[in-house]
């Protein structure tokens, strides 16, 4: 794996990890709670948490675009 494919791979991970965490958090938030932790308020992600998750995913998307362009430029030069 050269550095260009590693750059693409890391960019995809930067997109998928926060997305997976957000989806798991939303799924867990909607599960019925039983016992001493039940019957409480359903707390979703705060505004700050959403800003961090969305900005991290946008950074990954922008880096993925740059990585694909760099990879294609490198392939054309060979």
């Amino acid at each position: 794996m050269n550095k260009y494919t590693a750059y693409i791979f890391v960019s995809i991970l930067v997109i998928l990890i926060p997305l997976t965490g957000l989806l798991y958090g939303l799924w867990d938030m909607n599960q019925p709670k039983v016992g001493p932790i039940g019957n409480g308020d359903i707390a979703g992600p705060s505004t700050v948490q959403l800003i961090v998750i969305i900005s991290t995913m946008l950074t990954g998307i922008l880096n993925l675009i740059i990585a694909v362009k760099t990879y294609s430029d490198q392939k054309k030069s060979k």
Side-chain angles (χ1 to χ4, degrees), residues 58-77:
L58 287 176
T59 302
I61 291 169
L62 292 174
N63 276 320
L64 182 62
I65 293 168
I66 293 169
V68 169
K69 179 164 177 18
T70 307
Y71 180 76
S72 66
D73 289 346
Q74 185 261 343
K75 282 291 187 182
K76 286 180 186 176
S77 68

Side-chain angles (χ1 to χ4, degrees), residues 31-76:
Q31 296 302 310
K33 305 290 190 240
V34 183
I37 59 171
N39 297 332
D41 292 333
I42 298 176
S46 69
T47 306
V48 175
Q49 290 172 333
L50 286 176
I51 289 172
V52 169
I53 290 170
I54 291 171
S55 64
T56 303
M57 289 188 335
L58 287 176
T59 302
I61 291 169
L62 292 174
N63 276 320
L64 182 62
I65 293 168
I66 293 169
V68 169
K69 179 164 177 18
T70 307
Y71 180 76
S72 66
D73 289 346
Q74 185 261 343
K75 282 291 187 182
K76 286 180 186 176

